[in-house]
């Protein structure tokens, strides 16, 4: 599915956990491919911080805002 999306040369690419279940080599390969898309804005949703993503040249980490729901005591 990722290869098909990349073939369309999108201006915006939204990826939901694109590195889930990938080994370290595959994770680095995906990051290298994403770095080669100079005209694409890439949004990645991931519940965990992935060290390989932090090495991407055009990566900006956005952490979720703290929950405004009061905790039950």
């Amino acid at each position: 599915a990722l290869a098909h999306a990349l073939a369309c040369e999108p201006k915006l690419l939204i990826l939901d956990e694109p590195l889930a279940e990938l080994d370290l080599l595959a994770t680095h390969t995906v990051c290298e491919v994403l770095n080669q898309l100079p005209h694409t804005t890439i949004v990645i949703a991931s519940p965990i911080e992935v060290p390989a993503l932090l090495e991407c040249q055009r990566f900006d980490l956005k952490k979720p805002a703290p929950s405004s729901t009061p905790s039950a005591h």
Side-chain angles (χ1 to χ4, degrees), residues 1-70:
L2 182 56
H4 184 265
L6 295 177
C8 298
E9 298 181 2
K11 292 185 184 229
L12 174 64
L13 186 61
I14 301 173
L15 304 172
D16 183 20
E17 298 187 43
L19 307 175
E21 306 300 323
L22 296 181
D23 64 17
L24 189 57
L25 179 61
T27 298
H28 282 283
T29 300
V30 169
C31 288
E32 287 177 12
V33 169
L34 296 178
N35 272 330
Q36 295 174 14
L37 303 172
H39 304 293
T40 302
T41 298
I42 303 166
V43 177
I44 297 175
S46 180
I48 60 171
E49 197 170 283
V50 180
L53 285 178
L54 298 175
E55 296 173 10
C56 290
Q57 296 170 5
R58 300 181 310 119
F59 182 78
D60 185 19
L61 178 64
K62 300 291 184 193
K63 296 190 180 212
S67 174
S68 60
T69 306

